[in-house]
């Protein structure tokens, strides 16, 4: 724990190490390569949280694919979902007839992705799949099918590998539980 010592000090514990992440991302890339064989999916990165996962994941997929970036807002600086989803940055190209793969950092209540699934169904995508790095099934508030998840985690607020609290900690190479003293001060 001597790299990033300053920010590691704000963690209660490390939950997923960079080695575990690297292996899971490789496995996920292999699985998607198999499942989308013969297709040319459009991989959609949900900014900003999924950005680190996304750039690692697409390099593990051995298929022709295109990338798009989309930003939605659901959280302010708080650690609880507002339930309100807004598209802050939309795609550059239409996805009509395309196999859409939404890449997320974490599924919590499920509200963000259940909203986005409807958006892409309305835009007449051929299919809509969800890939998430982390899943907190205990917190689900809507019925949402998540086909691809790297890690199920307990109900705790986590940061690192793209995930933030108040825009910080995205640069941690591992995923850790944020110490509650950081958000209860
Ligand atoms: P949902 O709509 O409740 O599923 O919220 C999903 C979004 O909330 C994720 O894309 C994250 O941006 C954010 N989020 C949920 N839980 C956490 C967490 O533990 N750490 C950081 N961000 C989180
Ligand atoms: Mg997110």
């Amino acid at each position: 724990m001597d790299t990033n010592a300053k920010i590691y000090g704000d963690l209660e514990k490390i939950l997923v190490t960079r080695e575990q992440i690297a292996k899971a991302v490789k496995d996920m890339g292999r699985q998607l390569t198999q499942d989308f064989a013969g297709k040319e999916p459009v991989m959609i990165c949900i900014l900003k949280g999924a950005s680190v996962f996304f750039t690692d994941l697409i390099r593990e997929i051995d298929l022709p694919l295109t990338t798009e970036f989309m930003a939605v807002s659901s959280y302010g600086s708080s650690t609880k979902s507002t339930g309100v989803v807004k598209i802050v940055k939309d795609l550059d190209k239409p996805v009509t007839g395309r196999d859409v793969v939404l890449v997320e950092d974490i599924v919590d209540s499920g509200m963000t992705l259940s909203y986005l699934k409807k958006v892409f169904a309305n835009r007449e995508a051929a299919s809509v799949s969800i890939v998430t790095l982390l899943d907190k099934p205990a917190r689900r508030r809507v019925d949402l099918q998540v086909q691809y998840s790297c890690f199920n985690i307990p109900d705790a607020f986590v940061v690192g590998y793209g995930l933030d609290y108040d825009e910080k900690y995205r640069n941690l190479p591992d995923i850790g539980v944020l110490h509650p003293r950081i958000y209860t001060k």
Side-chain angles (χ1 to χ4, degrees), residues 49 74-75 81 85 104-113 136 153 156-159 163-165:
S74 59
Y75 278 51
S81 178
V85 182
E104 248 297 25
D105 52 356
I106 185 165
V107 184
D108 187 53
S109 71
M111 317 251 307
T112 307
L113 281 171
K136 282 188 207 171
I153 62 164
F157 195 81
V158 296
V159 294
L163 289 102
D164 76 307
Y165 170 67

Side-chain angles (χ1 to χ4, degrees), residues 107-115 139-144:
V107 184
D108 187 53
S109 71
M111 317 251 307
T112 307
L113 281 171
S114 107
Y115 172 79
R139 303 236 330 148
R140 202 71 94 254
R141 281 165 59 197
V142 291
D143 185 29
L144 177 78

Side-chain angles (χ1 to χ4, degrees), residues 82-99:
T82 58
V84 180
V85 182
K86 204 173 101 200
I87 297 178
V88 179
K89 184 223 173 291
D90 211 333
L91 312 182
D92 295 331
K93 290 223 173 92
V95 292
T96 320
R98 299 290 305 274
D99 293 295

Side-chain angles (χ1 to χ4, degrees), residues 56-160:
D56 282 346
L57 179 65
I58 58 171
R59 285 176 289 174
E60 298 294 342
I61 302 174
D62 186 13
L63 290 175
L65 55 80
T66 59
T67 59
E68 287 282 349
F69 295 82
M70 183 172 206
V72 298
S73 74
S74 59
Y75 278 51
S77 61
S78 132
T79 57
K80 294 265 166 350
S81 178
T82 58
V84 180
V85 182
K86 204 173 101 200
I87 297 178
V88 179
K89 184 223 173 291
D90 211 333
L91 312 182
D92 295 331
K93 290 223 173 92
V95 292
T96 320
R98 299 290 305 274
D99 293 295
V100 165
V101 181
L102 298 172
V103 181
E104 248 297 25
D105 52 356
I106 185 165
V107 184
D108 187 53
S109 71
M111 317 251 307
T112 307
L113 281 171
S114 107
Y115 172 79
L116 289 179
K117 270 196 97 162
K118 283 191 204 109
V119 168
F120 287 103
N122 285 338
R123 292 181 183 185
E124 295 175 350
S127 67
V128 185
S129 309
I130 294 174
V131 180
T132 189
L133 174 68
L134 306 173
D135 190 356
K136 282 188 207 171
R139 303 236 330 148
R140 202 71 94 254
R141 281 165 59 197
V142 291
D143 185 29
L144 177 78
Q145 195 98 352
V146 180
Q147 299 99 315
Y148 301 104
S149 161
C150 294
F151 301 99
N152 276 358
I153 62 164
D155 180 9
F157 195 81
V158 296
V159 294

